[in-house]
Amino acid sequence: MTTSPGPVLAAGASLDFTLAQQLTVIALCALTAFISHMALAVFNDGVRPFMLDFIQGRSTRSATTAVSFGLSAGFIFGLGAPMALSSGVLNPWLLFLPTDILGILSPKKWLAPILGGAWGAVVVFGLSGANNLAHDLPVDFLTAMQEMSTPILFLFTLFPVLAITKQFGRKWGGIAGVVELALVVMTMKLWPTVFAGAIAMAVGVLMLIGLAINKDLKQRKADRANKTEEAEEGEEVAPADDPMASLFSASAARLRKYLPLFMVLGAGVCLLAQMHVFGGGEATSFLIAKGNYSEAAQVDFYRVFGFIPLIATTALASGAYGIAGFTLVYPIGYLMPNPILAAVVGALVFAVEVLALSYIGKLLGKLPSVRDSSEHLRSAISDALQLAILFGSLMAANAMGAGLGILIVGGLYLLNEAMGRPVVRMAAAPAAVIVGGIVLNILYWLDLFTPIKG
């Protein structure tokens, strides 16, 4: 990837899929809907905590479907679809959030994969037509949306700095910021063909993990010293009972029971990533579109550290795993040389993850600062992307309609905020670009607006 400001997407980055890619998407959507129907896994982290009541019969299928739809709809239509249309690369919000809903909604086990497969068909056949139609409009808002790539890629680089600042204060945050800036400048100067934020993100994440582990080790040392003093004074230290232990054990056993199904799921997700028509995140989608697969793998690998504790603890507490697991299959898939190897490795990765869930849960219990780091990472990723997506959306608005475009898109975003965010903030700006593009085309047909050339 070059560091030029303009979004230059790879020539092959389109929504025209080969037969193998179409069949893979349809089959994977059918599988994920089936797994969601059985309450074995869902993609939406916000829905997973509600699955325990559904599994144990305290919540109905319709009520759980309503929760899933309410927490997912904004991301599907406001983020998943716009990101796919602008980058030419599929994403998990577009594929797996709808199959969460359809799987839970389905009253019969056999119907779930049919509904999921039908959604997969809508994606691979419908998006291509919508993409071609949009590019033929007088105001090509999809090409304008590619302006989002630069702020997303570069501002995303700062998420480790934000996480370090939130957890360890301004001093360490300032040090991390200076280090990352120096590394970005150095990378742009010495390795202009490499994504400028790759090395900076790696160092930032390592700094955060190192600080967290160091804090936990110091705390454990202090705790051992206190226990020794209490023992010497003759005080009896009773072991603390963990009321969640039995629930965690039952959930882990339930997931292990369906290990072969999870291995098939891991194979499918890894295979889709290997086909390079799928990106696991906002920044990753544009890197895949540019053909920078190793950089995309780095970005998604760093994100893993922010989600392992969340996915592990919610899976153990609810009995429902994540559709993409710990998301390790994303970066692994991007780097696999062929589909067969990707499927085999993806299956093995999911097998290890499911079998190691109990161990990971116990380990996280001993490393509270590392757990906190994952929460700060997720929050930092969200903060960085919210600014990047908003800024990129305004750049897209300027590209397609100059001041009028900014007025419409920025106005829709502000109106959404004033109305209490009926569309989630992350998805509001891209959705506003699409609505704004439609409005500008209507104004053109009414002879009230002249499209910007070039």
Side-chain angles (χ1 to χ4, degrees), residues 199-266:
I199 298 174
M201 276 190 289
V203 172
V205 171
L206 288 175
M207 284 182 65
L208 176 65
I209 295 173
L211 289 168
I213 292 176
N214 182 61
K215 182 178 180 181
D216 281 333
L217 291 177
K218 287 182 177 178
Q219 185 62 49
R220 292 186 68 183
K221 184 178 180 179
D223 291 343
R224 282 197 298 268
N226 291 334
K227 288 181 180 179
T228 301
E229 290 178 4
E230 291 173 358
E232 290 175 351
E233 293 172 2
E235 295 182 13
E236 189 173 334
V237 181
D241 293 328
D242 184 1
M244 298 296 290
S246 59
L247 175 61
F248 279 20
S249 177
S251 296
R254 178 177 186 264
L255 295 175
R256 287 196 299 270
K257 179 181 175 183
Y258 293 94
L259 184 62
L261 189 59
F262 281 115
M263 292 178 70
V264 175
L265 176 62

